Amino acid sequence: MDQRVFQDELRRAYVRGGPGAIVSGLIWLAAALVSSNGGVATGFAVLFFGGMLIFPISKLVVQFLFRRPSESKGNPGGLIVMETVFPMIGGLFAAWLLLPHRPEFVFPLSAIAVGAHYFGFRTAYGDWTYWAFGAILCFVGVGSIVFGLPSSAVVPYLVAMVEIAFGIGFICFDRAGPVEYEAGPVERDAGQ
């Protein structure tokens, strides 16, 4: 399958990834609220186990709310996205190991893991915006660890806001009409 074809198919199937980013942002928000009231360990548990629901929930949203068909089974872009999940889980595992020793680093390191995960979406979707998205999340995490800005208590709220904002942006761009991507303009089907 040609790169432009698989990228276009993924953008259509997943509404450019917007619903997934919003679902992830809502899980980060839930983790932030739980952490503020019940501690970092409980908030991190919400983030980790809630994170397992991101793909199934966003898949239901794109199928039922946006009425998008799934990508073809041979689409290599889906494999690219899947390959970014394993290093992210490794980063989340490292964050979990820090819980008893440096709880203030748990959410910042998680932000870095999730941000780095988004870099591969640039290739899968053919959209450089994912580099900016991932970089912002990584900068939030690194800034908190190295400089204490933002404070670790604010990090999950910031990540939630960034993810929801990018998710809304992706959906708006998807609905706006023909979009210029790396390989040229892509026209929309009349049914979308």
Side-chain angles (χ1 to χ4, degrees):
M1 179 180 281
D2 178 77
Q3 182 175 353
R4 180 178 178 198
V5 172
F6 84 68
Q7 290 171 336
D8 182 46
E9 184 180 77
L10 279 185
R11 286 190 299 268
R12 289 177 194 272
Y14 292 102
V15 195
R16 293 180 50 132
I22 291 172
V23 170
S24 180
L26 292 173
I27 290 169
W28 272 91
L29 181 59
L33 293 169
V34 169
S35 179
S36 294
N37 296 311
V40 173
T42 308
F44 181 74
V46 168
L47 178 65
F48 184 81
F49 292 110
M52 293 179 190
L53 301 174
I54 295 169
F55 180 74
I57 291 172
S58 61
K59 188 74 169 168
L60 289 172
V61 169
V62 298
Q63 285 180 332
F64 294 109
L65 183 63
F66 292 95
R67 301 193 187 287
R68 299 293 173 94
S70 294
E71 77 277 15
S72 61
K73 291 189 189 271
N75 189 314
L79 182 59
I80 292 168
V81 170
M82 182 57 101
E83 288 171 345
T84 69
V85 169
F86 299 107
M88 179 182 64
I89 291 171
L92 293 174
F93 179 70
W96 176 73
L97 290 174
L98 289 176
L99 264 172
H101 310 289
R102 298 300 299 260
E104 73 275 15
F105 288 173
V106 169
F107 283 118
L109 185 55
S110 298
I112 294 167
V114 170
H117 160 68
Y118 280 122
F119 290 128
F121 285 44
R122 204 260 335 116
T123 302
Y125 286 102
D127 186 348
W128 65 268
T129 311
Y130 276 100
W131 280 349
F133 187 11
I136 290 169
L137 297 180
C138 288
F139 284 134
V140 166
V142 169
S144 182
I145 291 170
V146 175
F147 303 110
L149 292 172
S151 76
S152 61
V154 173
V155 168
Y157 290 103
L158 278 177
V159 172
M161 289 180 359
V162 169
E163 286 204 303
I164 292 168
F166 270 87
I168 291 169
F170 290 137
I171 291 169
C172 289
F173 287 135
D174 181 80
R175 308 301 258 171
V179 179
E180 182 75 28
Y181 290 101
E182 294 171 359
V186 175
E187 295 295 325
R188 305 215 173 274
D189 292 338
Q192 289 188 13

